[in-house]
Amino acid sequence: QLQLVESGGGLVQPGGSLRLSCVAPGFTKNADAIGWFRQAPGKEREGVSCISGIGIRDYADSVKGRFTISRDNAKNTVYLQMNSLKPEDTGVYYCAAARSFLQCVVGRTQRYTYWGQGTQVTVSS
């Protein structure tokens, strides 16, 4: 099962919070990594955060201190808790998986080869 499914997006006011979920069956090895990426209108896709099977985490500078990535192994699910949201956080958020990527460097987008369909996050007053 190589399908990744995101959920949890929506409309939130600046300063609010959302929690995104990514169900990722088939990526249970310690070396597997799950990442979150986003794309705003007119901008390139950027890495947001990632977590490897052994718990190594990485965050984009723009979200450090505001976003937290975690996992629930029993549910094959990775979460992205987003706090203190800003309008510039608006975009389509995708989860993606990479094989044999212990260090989980979210900026290395090309290493993530399995992608979900995306979920829209809109931060607006």
Side-chain angles (χ1 to χ4, degrees):
Q1 296 180 1
L2 302 179
Q3 182 71 49
L4 288 76
V5 180
E6 309 99 324
S7 62
L11 174 65
V12 64
Q13 295 183 347
S17 299
L18 285 173
R19 188 179 73 160
L20 305 183
S21 300
C22 174
V23 179
F27 301 95
T28 60
K29 295 181 179 179
N30 288 340
D32 292 339
I34 302 294
W36 284 99
F37 302 81
R38 68 187 181 189
Q39 187 165 22
K43 296 183 178 180
E44 295 183 349
R45 181 171 47 190
E46 66 172 336
V48 177
S49 184
C50 64
I51 186 169
S52 74
I54 61 172
I56 296 175
R57 295 165 169 83
D58 192 24
Y59 296 92
D61 289 341
S62 60
V63 307
K64 287 180 179 177
R66 300 189 297 121
F67 291 11
T68 303
I69 192 167
S70 63
R71 70 180 187 274
D72 184 335
N73 291 331
K75 298 180 179 179
N76 295 316
T77 301
V78 173
Y79 303 98
L80 184 67
Q81 179 67 45
M82 305 185 295
N83 299 326
S84 302
L85 283 163
K86 305 174 181 179
E88 49 263 46
D89 294 317
T90 294
V92 178
Y93 282 68
Y94 302 88
C95 66
R99 300 289 193 191
S100 302
F101 200 17
L102 283 171
Q103 63 268 44
C104 178
V105 181
V106 73
R108 296 181 60 187
T109 307
Q110 292 183 332
R111 286 284 286 107
Y112 293 83
T113 56
Y114 303 89
W115 292 80
Q117 82 288 347
T119 184
Q120 177 71 43
V121 172
T122 303
V123 184
S124 179
S125 60

